[in-house]
Amino acid sequence: MERLKVKIINKSHHPLPDYGTFEAAGMDVRAYLPEGSITLKPGQRGLIPTGLYMQLPQGYECQIRPRSGLALKHGLTVLNSPGTVDADYRGEIGVIVINLGEYDFEIKDGERICQMVIKSYTKVEWELTDRLDRTAREDGAFGHTGTN
């Protein structure tokens, strides 16, 4: 398993993002709400601070993803999922969450609100052309990859 060193500043009083299990891909990230909890009503969204600042190596991004348990049990999800933190961003990592559930949801200081996955990416170099290689699918869109 590849290991990557990432510089991080933690201005919160919570532990750094960590993996829940040995083979987990995502690290749990906690809300930093020193002034008190935030309640989101159904359909309401908010930017939740984490107190985390990082310096990713060039060629990497940080993806912010929902936590499946919060999504299933409460309808709480990351609105721009996955959110992307670019390698040149140095501000505090904030998480845009929305309550898609039926009831108010209270986010407390220290609550695990999302997962963070660090991924490498490839830069695209466009090659302008007049035609594309043919495939069996061609321009078949939604629902055209199945046989039923």
Side-chain angles (χ1 to χ4, degrees), residues 26 61 82:
E61 67 163 327

Side-chain angles (χ1 to χ4, degrees), residues 99-118:
N99 179 0
L100 298 176
E102 300 172 21
Y103 307 103
D104 291 359
F105 186 83
E106 181 183 13
I107 301 172
K108 299 178 179 118
D109 183 48
E111 183 155 6
R112 295 176 297 154
I113 56 166
C114 68
Q115 293 186 69
M116 171 187 289
V117 176
I118 307 298

Side-chain angles (χ1 to χ4, degrees), residues 49-84:
T50 65
L52 301 173
Y53 303 73
M54 71 172 64
Q55 179 180 325
L56 291 166
Q58 192 174 44
Y60 286 85
E61 67 163 327
C62 167
Q63 296 179 357
I64 302 297
R65 302 178 181 180
R67 292 192 66 235
S68 57
L70 287 178
L72 178 63
K73 295 174 187 169
H74 304 286
L76 193 76
T77 190
V78 175
L79 190 55
N80 60 327
S81 183
T84 296

Side-chain angles (χ1 to χ4, degrees), residues 4 35 65 67 89 115 128 134-135:
L4 178 71
E35 306 296 318
R65 302 178 181 180
R67 292 192 66 235
Y89 178 68
Q115 293 186 69
L128 195 58
R134 307 233 18 197
T135 68

